[in-house]
Amino acid sequence: MIQQALIAGGGIGGLAAALAASRAGWDVRLFEQAPAFGEVGAGIQLGPNVVRVLHGWGLQDDLARIAAFPHRLQVRDAVTGDELGVLPLGQRALQKYGAPYATIHRADLHGLLLQAVQARDHVRLNLNSAVASFADSEQAVTLQTSDGLEVQGDALIGADGLWSRVREQLLADGPPRVTGHLAYRALLPQASLPERLRSQQVTAWLGPNLHVVQYPVRGGEWLNVVAIVHGQLDGDLQSWDHVSNATDLQAALLHTAWPLRELVQAVADCGGEAGAGWGLWALCDRPPMRGAQQQAQGRVALLGDAAHPMRPYLAQGAGMAIEDAAELGSALAQAQDQAVEVPALLQRYAQRRWQRNAQVQARSLRNGQIFHASGPLRWARDASLRLLGEKLLDLPWLYGKTPTGF
């Protein structure tokens, strides 16, 4: 008898989980609260650790058609504009880690996973279906949706994001914490920019209490720009669509190098014509995970931001969700052994994931302090990058590790 996985959430993590569970031989029912599948306009960086998983799912050619593959990562001082360090990517990443470093539009990655899921048998996608609650028993888990539907399955995967209802019931550990950091994001066609501002590499500008990252997406035809500054946001923290004030961002960057200020101004100048401009939202996270019980209990498991929301200073938020899905699929594939109960499989998944996720969460926190450093810490950072740039920027512990089965 085919076992059934219930998945809460139809974002990148939820679709990745659906694909992995289907590939493991499970019947999948996914519940998404929105009336249509979609993602907000923003870019994502995918390290070789993540790209290897997507390649393992047979998505190599499709990914190559929609992503960009930067040739290097450059770190610059946001105040002086000086180059601090460089990490070659491109062919070097492919040779060292067996997969390239990719940058991609979030909506394109979401669409890629959605297409792959829709091509699978035994997957049912339900829209306008918000998860309200669940009941876990020795025999099954029952999910209740906000419109009164009850669905029974063998496992429930909470992939419903930062404000997860599944986590709220499973762990009852309160809302995410507000970090005090604001993210301004913009996407625009490179053709709308002056040629000197176009780029096919990842560039990170580091300054006191701020940093800016830019990189190509959509085959290099578009540029993604993210500026993170310290500040608070009035309004709904769950919204991804706050009206931004570019004047506030320009004021925060007033004492930065001219090339950076020119890029930020160009976003404002080109935004109307390109249909772009700055989006704004507040960053929230949770402390690093402390144990496997925070990722799975009984027949219920958490995945991605529902389990381990993190700050974006290691560019691995979506990546860890995809790694989670791959490990989940590996665990669920063992359900064919009738002697192994589903709770034990989910515990196996949690035991294999929580320390990795906690490490990435902790390193993301640490990177934020380094990126935004001032005074002696900033001087030490800059001197270290000038001396050991490639060694410091390369992350074998991260890029070289792959979930079980890949």
Side-chain angles (χ1 to χ4, degrees):
M1 182 172 126
I2 297 178
Q3 292 182 293
Q4 182 163 261
L6 310 178
I7 297 178
I12 288 170
L15 290 176
L19 180 58
S22 173
R23 288 171 56 86
W26 283 54
D27 183 81
V28 176
R29 296 187 68 175
L30 182 148
F31 299 86
E32 165 57 39
Q33 65 179 351
F37 286 108
E39 270 288 353
V40 296
I44 297 175
Q45 299 181 64
L46 300 177
N49 55 307
V50 187
V51 175
R52 274 199 311 275
V53 174
L54 298 175
H55 285 184
W57 287 340
L59 303 177
Q60 182 169 351
D61 293 341
D62 292 332
L63 181 66
R65 282 192 288 269
I66 59 175
F69 300 91
H71 64 282
R72 69 173 192 160
L73 183 155
Q74 178 193 45
V75 179
R76 299 179 66 173
D77 187 310
V79 177
T80 66
D82 294 342
E83 180 180 279
L84 299 175
V86 170
L87 173 66
L89 299 173
Q91 193 63 27
R92 178 188 178 279
L94 182 60
Q95 291 174 347
K96 185 171 183 179
Y97 297 116
Y101 194 104
T103 51
I104 189 170
H105 192 303
R106 180 180 290 269
D108 292 343
L109 177 59
H110 185 270
L112 175 69
L113 292 169
L114 178 60
Q115 183 178 12
V117 168
Q118 289 173 328
R120 303 288 304 180
D121 294 331
H122 306 295
V123 176
R124 284 168 285 179
L125 305 177
N126 302 275
L127 295 169
N128 279 318
S129 295
V131 172
S133 63
F134 65 86
D136 188 10
S137 71
E138 290 186 7
Q139 291 75 35
V141 59
T142 304
L143 178 150
Q144 295 88 31
T145 65
S146 57
D147 55 0
L149 179 68
E150 286 196 359
V151 184
Q152 192 173 89
D154 298 287
L156 169 62
I157 311 304
D160 46 345
L162 178 67
W163 304 92
S164 168
R165 294 293 300 274
V166 177
R167 181 186 181 118
E168 182 181 347
Q169 181 176 340
L170 184 69
L171 301 183
D173 57 351
R177 64 183 180 186
V178 180
T179 67
H181 295 181
L182 302 177
Y184 292 81
R185 300 178 185 250
L187 274 162
L188 66 166
Q190 301 230 41
S192 68
L193 291 168
E195 190 166 350
R196 64 183 176 277
L197 295 180
R198 301 172 192 175
S199 176
Q200 296 299 325
Q201 67 177 24
V202 180
T203 302
W205 304 77
L206 309 184
N209 296 325
L210 64 90
H211 82 283
V212 179
V213 180
Q214 62 183 84
Y215 51 82
V217 295
R218 292 190 162 163
E221 294 184 2
W222 285 63
L223 188 69
N224 183 73
V225 186
V226 183
I228 297 182
V229 301
H230 292 202
Q232 301 294 330
L233 182 66
D234 294 327
D236 181 10
L237 292 176
Q238 298 189 38
S239 173
W240 291 77
D241 194 26
H242 291 280
V243 176
S244 66
N245 186 342
T247 303
D248 291 342
L249 176 59
Q250 289 168 339
L253 300 177
L254 182 61
H255 300 293
T256 59
W258 166 242
L260 177 55
R261 286 185 285 122
E262 185 183 21
L263 174 64
V264 171
Q265 182 60 51
V267 172
D269 292 343
C270 300
E273 180 181 350
W278 293 104
L280 170 65
W281 55 88
L283 299 182
C284 299
D285 73 347
R286 291 185 184 272
M289 301 184 77
R290 298 183 302 278
Q293 76 282 355
Q294 291 184 301
Q295 192 135 8
Q297 295 181 23
R299 292 179 176 268
V300 183
L302 301 177
L303 180 146
D305 282 351
H308 43 75
M310 59 189 66
R311 302 188 188 190
Y313 307 135
L314 203 57
Q316 284 286 326
M320 289 301 101
I322 292 171
E323 280 196 9
D324 279 352
E327 193 68 68
L328 176 69
S330 178
L332 295 183
Q334 299 174 53
Q336 297 172 3
D337 182 352
Q338 298 299 317
V340 182
E341 297 290 336
V342 169
L345 296 179
L346 295 183
Q347 269 303 305
R348 189 173 302 172
Y349 153 75
Q351 289 289 350
R352 289 174 174 171
R353 287 303 301 164
W354 81 267
Q355 292 182 60
R356 165 82 159 175
N357 290 322
Q359 182 181 19
V360 174
Q361 285 177 293
R363 287 293 292 268
S364 298
L365 278 167
R366 178 169 169 258
N367 273 10
Q369 296 169 347
I370 295 171
F371 287 5
H372 294 189
S374 58
L377 180 56
R378 177 188 170 207
W379 303 333
R381 175 201 68 199
D382 293 356
S384 298
L385 282 169
R386 289 190 177 100
L387 183 64
L388 301 168
E390 182 173 331
K391 184 175 181 180
L392 292 176
L393 295 171
D394 197 8
L395 302 171
W397 67 270
L398 178 62
Y399 301 147
K401 184 173 180 180
T402 304
T404 303
F406 285 84

